[in-house]
């Protein structure tokens, strides 16, 4: 398809090809009454059902015209732009995803068939209810939480977890009112002409460079690098301003979007209005509205999680991927894709700019910037006077550590000093729960999951054992499930809850807060806790990696890493890279506020001389990346070579092993393409949710036609019933 010519129009009863969201893919139909355009969405009959489809082009003509069925009238939505369709197809090709699944990702909004007519919604009306019940207050709380959004009555009841009668009762009382409201209203305009902050010299240079690239109007990717607090956000908001001023749309992708209240407020302060939000926490009404407004060009800036990349933007001019190294950009479910890489693909098709922002870029982006494929902009220092934390190692071999204790005397002393000064400390351990292993001291049994080859993790706050693979939970038993002996089960190793227990013993007067994703029932509860911490309402924060992400805790001046060796174990390709990034990010939480004594980060380790620990401490990032890159290059590993994972699973081990063997025995096509096949082997976690898992890994030189070879290789082999086969191009996980 071509950007220049208007999309083709097909008159009624002419022959059209429609890409459906079903496995059959593209089928021919007759154009409906009134005709349709290329790129429009239609409902089409498929057997007894009606399914969603995208008008693809002219029908191919090798099917008896007399048997063709008519498509339904086009949905009232903007047609997809040719560039967007092109993106979906190329993303499907790259990730080896069937196009119907890609179309599903691009149409993930409710009620697409319904026209944008008025609908009945609930709004506040002001009268107090005669009496307040628990259910009523939950309804009012949901309304307050979504500040000003309107809800369908059933949606409101569902979000509040009450029956619709409660909502009706509040309407009868005059507390709420049910009114007719138009749906899918455009978003308020962001004003790019409002002034931003006055920028420091290097910030200004970076902003000017990005603005220039956007004004030129072509494709380009820029790695924007600077430590946490150096003003990357400030700089890319300037790029957003330029993009909006050009009349184009901008997308900012964030990890952990639900936590970004602070970010939304910043946008509002900068541009005078809030952006569109796209993530799992928004209401159905907002989801539908944003999807339509993206297509109509009636939302200027969208802030979203990775799936926002599949919104049908009318004219996308800028994509920012903040914390571009973050693992949450990789989806490993149904469609395996990396939103960072797909952002670059989308931008190259629609002539947009990409900004990859990070303090600790992925090795891929670092190499691409080094080779000139991406531009690179560096922010050298923190804005204002604030300095990077002072980093030191605590050598655990030299500390007096009684068993069952994890906070060394040196670290404890540093925490005491912060307590005395009214400052906050953060103890970081990337392990949820109380203890990762529960062992029977009588028979040696380690309590495992029934469905997975994984040990159950004790979560003492919930009084349960939890499998972190499948989520199965059990009450913590008093007797060993294997030998039956009472009172001999013992927790081994620490999780954050256990550190919290130690903190309570050692610092009985301090207020401690545990931040771990499993301890919060909603994004809102987590947000509230984070806001309270930022205001100083805690002395010691004990957290998993959710604290590593951009929260600003002004009174935090000490970060203690409980086990800096944790991520160094394991043969994962990216173990060093991930450890480096995580430690740096966590350490960066300390002492962000200007004008204070610099923060301190202390890493407890048994291997202070490990190359990665030394790199983290020395602050010589470039040397670390150079060494990492050299190692990967020597081994032909990404980004210097390519990998694809094949994950097979089936309830029965013999079935999955048999099919895997058959694939491996017929892998000549891969070898002809220059690729090697490793495996099959049982996956490191060989059983999950009762399914036996095997993996293969394909390794190829950078220029090899990897996807085409894999497609040709797999095509002739029909998997046995119930066998799942997933292809993971550029895998991040090898479990
Ligand atoms: P990063 O995205 O690199 O972590 P931010 O853009 O969030 O950095 O900046 C860190 C803090 O410093 C923010 O509170 C931001 O508002 C402030 N800041 C950065 N640059 C400036 C500036 N030029 N003028 C005023 N405040 C700034
Ligand atoms: Zn399990």
């Amino acid at each position: 398809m071509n950007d220049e010519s208007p999309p083709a129009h097909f008159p009624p009863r002419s022959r059209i090809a429609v890409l459906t969201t079903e496995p059959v893919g593209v089928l021919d139909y007759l154009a409906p009454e009134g005709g349709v355009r290329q790129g429009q969405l239609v409902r089409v009959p498929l057997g007894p059902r009606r399914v969603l489809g995208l008008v693809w082009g002219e029908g191919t003509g090798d099917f008896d015209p007399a048997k063709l069925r008519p498509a339904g009238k086009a949905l009232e939505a903007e047609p997809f732009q040719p560039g967007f369709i092109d993106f979906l197809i190329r993303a499907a090709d790259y990730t080896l995803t069937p196009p119907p699944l890609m179309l599903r990702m691009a149409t993930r909004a409710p009620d697409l068939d319904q026209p944008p007519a008025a609908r009945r919604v609930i709004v506040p009306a002001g009268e107090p209810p005669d009496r307040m019940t628990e259910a009523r207050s939950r309804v009012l709380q949901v309304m307050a939480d979504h500040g000003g959004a309107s809800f369908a009555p059933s949606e409101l009841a569902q979000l509040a977890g009450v029956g619709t009668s409660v909502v009706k009762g509040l309407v009868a009382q005059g507390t709420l009112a049910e009114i007719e409201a138009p749906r899918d209203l455009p978003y308020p305009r962001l004003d790019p002409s409002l002034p931003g902050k006055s920028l420091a010299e290097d910030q200004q240079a970076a902003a000017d460079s990005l603005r220039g690239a956007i004004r030129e109007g072509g494709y380009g990717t820029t790695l924007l690098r600077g430590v946490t607090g150096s003003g990357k956000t400030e700089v890319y908001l300037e790029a957003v301003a330029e993009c909006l001023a050009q009349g184009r749309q901008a997308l900012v992708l964030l990890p952990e979007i639900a936590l970004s209240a602070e970010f939304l407020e910043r946008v509002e302060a900068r541009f005078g209005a809030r952006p569109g939000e796209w993530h799992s926490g928004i209401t159905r009404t907002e989801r539908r509205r944003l999807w339509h407004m993206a297509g109509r060009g009636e939302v200027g800036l969208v802030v979203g999680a990775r799936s926002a990349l599949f919104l049908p933007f009318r004219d996308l001019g800028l994509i920012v991927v903040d914390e571009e190294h973050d693992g949450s950009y990789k989806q490993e479910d149904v469609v395996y894709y990396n939103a960072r890489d797909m952002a670059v693909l989308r931008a190259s098709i629609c002539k947009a700019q990409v900004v990859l922002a990070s303090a600790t870029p992925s090795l891929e982006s670092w190499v691409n910037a080094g080779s000139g494929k991406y531009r690179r902009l560096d922010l050298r220092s923190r804005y204002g006077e604030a300095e990077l934390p002072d980093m030191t190692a605590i050598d655990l071999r030299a500390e007096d550590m009684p068993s069952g204790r994890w906070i060394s005397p040196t670290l404890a002393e540093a925490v005491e000093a912060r307590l005395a000064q009214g400052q906050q400390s953060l103890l970081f351990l990337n392990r949820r729960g109380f203890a990762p292993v529960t062992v029977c001291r009588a028979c040696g049994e380690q309590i495992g999951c029934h469905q997975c080859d994984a040990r159950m993790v004790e979560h003492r706050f919930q009084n349960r054992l939890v499998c972190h693979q499948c989520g199965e939970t059990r009450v913590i038993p008093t007797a060993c499930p294997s030998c039956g002996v009472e009172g001999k089960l013992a927790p081994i190793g620490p999780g954050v809850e256990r550190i919290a227990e130690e903190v309570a013993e050692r610092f009985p007067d301090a207020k401690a807060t545990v931040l771990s994703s499993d301890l919060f029932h909603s994004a809102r509860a987590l947000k509230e806790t984070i806001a309270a911490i930022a205001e100083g309402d805690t002395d010691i924060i004990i957290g998993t990696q959710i604290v590593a992400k951009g929260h600003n805790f002004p009174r935090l001046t000490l970060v203690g890493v409980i086990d800096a060796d944790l991520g160094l174990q394991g043969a994962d390709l990216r173990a060093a890279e991930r450890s480096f990034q995580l430690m740096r990010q966590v350490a960066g939480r300390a002492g962000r506020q200007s004008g204070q004594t610099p923060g301190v980060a202390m890493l407890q380790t048994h291997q202070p001389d490990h190359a990665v620990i030394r790199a983290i401490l020395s602050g010589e990032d470039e040397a670390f990346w150079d060494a990492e890159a050299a190692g990967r290059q020597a081994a032909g590993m990404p980004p210097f070579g390519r990998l694809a994972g094949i994950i097979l699973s089936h309830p029965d081990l013999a079935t999955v092993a048999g099919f895997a063997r058959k694939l491996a025995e017929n892998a000549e096509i891969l070898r002809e393409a220059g690729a090697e096949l490793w495996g099959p082997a049982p996956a490191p976690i060989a059983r999950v949710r009762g399914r036996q898992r095997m993996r293969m890994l394909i390794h190829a030189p950078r220029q090899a036609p990897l996807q085409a070879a894999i497609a040709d290789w797999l095509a002739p082999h029909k998997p046995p019933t119930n066998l799942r086969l997933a292809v993971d191009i550029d895998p991040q996980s090898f479990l």
Side-chain angles (χ1 to χ4, degrees), residues 541-556:
I541 308 153
I542 300 139
T544 60
Q545 65 171 353
I546 60 171
V547 301
K549 312 248 158 102
H551 315 298
N552 193 355
F553 299 138
R555 288 177 53 212
L556 179 66

Side-chain angles (χ1 to χ4, degrees), residues 197-200 203 227-234 266 383 592:
K197 301 214 160 88
S198 64
L199 298 180
Q203 294 177 336
V227 295
T228 310
S230 59
K232 295 183 295 298
T233 310
E234 223 57 64
R266 254 174 107 167
Y383 175 74
R592 282 196 60 166

Side-chain angles (χ1 to χ4, degrees), residues 101-178:
L101 280 183
M102 275 294 165
L103 181 58
R104 276 191 192 192
M105 296 236 295
T107 51
R108 222 179 260 157
D111 305 332
L112 287 182
D113 299 63
Q114 291 173 27
R119 50 175 214 132
R120 301 198 70 80
V121 296
I122 300 290
V123 294
E127 292 292 320
D130 53 2
R131 66 199 161 78
M132 190 56 92
T133 62
E134 158 79 23
R136 285 179 171 180
S137 76
R138 281 220 296 277
V139 171
L140 298 178
Q141 186 62 48
V142 167
M143 305 251 340
D145 287 347
H146 286 81
S150 53
F151 297 91
S154 57
E155 181 179 33
L156 179 56
Q158 196 196 343
L159 282 171
V162 302
T164 45
S165 60
V166 178
V167 174
K168 287 201 187 113
L170 284 166
V171 170
Q173 301 262 315
T175 310
L176 302 177
E178 192 171 348

Side-chain angles (χ1 to χ4, degrees), residues 449-454 456 467-472 688-689:
C449 176
H450 296 308
Q451 310 188 70
C452 309
D453 287 340
M456 299 291 276
C467 171
H468 285 186
Q469 293 308 314
C470 71
E472 188 198 293
V688 173
R689 290 174 208 270

Side-chain angles (χ1 to χ4, degrees), residues 663-701:
L663 285 177
E665 283 165 6
N666 292 285
E668 201 48 41
I669 287 180
L670 295 178
R671 279 185 289 278
E672 281 164 13
E676 303 167 83
L677 178 69
W678 296 333
I685 302 174
R687 193 172 51 116
V688 173
R689 290 174 208 270
R691 297 180 71 90
Q692 303 287 343
R693 304 170 70 243
M694 298 202 77
R695 295 191 63 115
M696 291 184 254
L697 194 61
I698 298 160
H699 177 235

Side-chain angles (χ1 to χ4, degrees), residues 612-647:
V612 175
I613 301 282
R614 288 196 4 212
I616 294 165
L617 296 176
S618 72
E620 286 168 15
D621 301 26
E622 301 292 329
F624 172 75
W625 292 120
D626 279 334
E628 255 316 274
R632 298 251 194 111
Q633 186 155 29
M637 282 293 162
F640 304 97
R642 305 196 55 199
L643 291 177
I646 308 286
I647 307 114

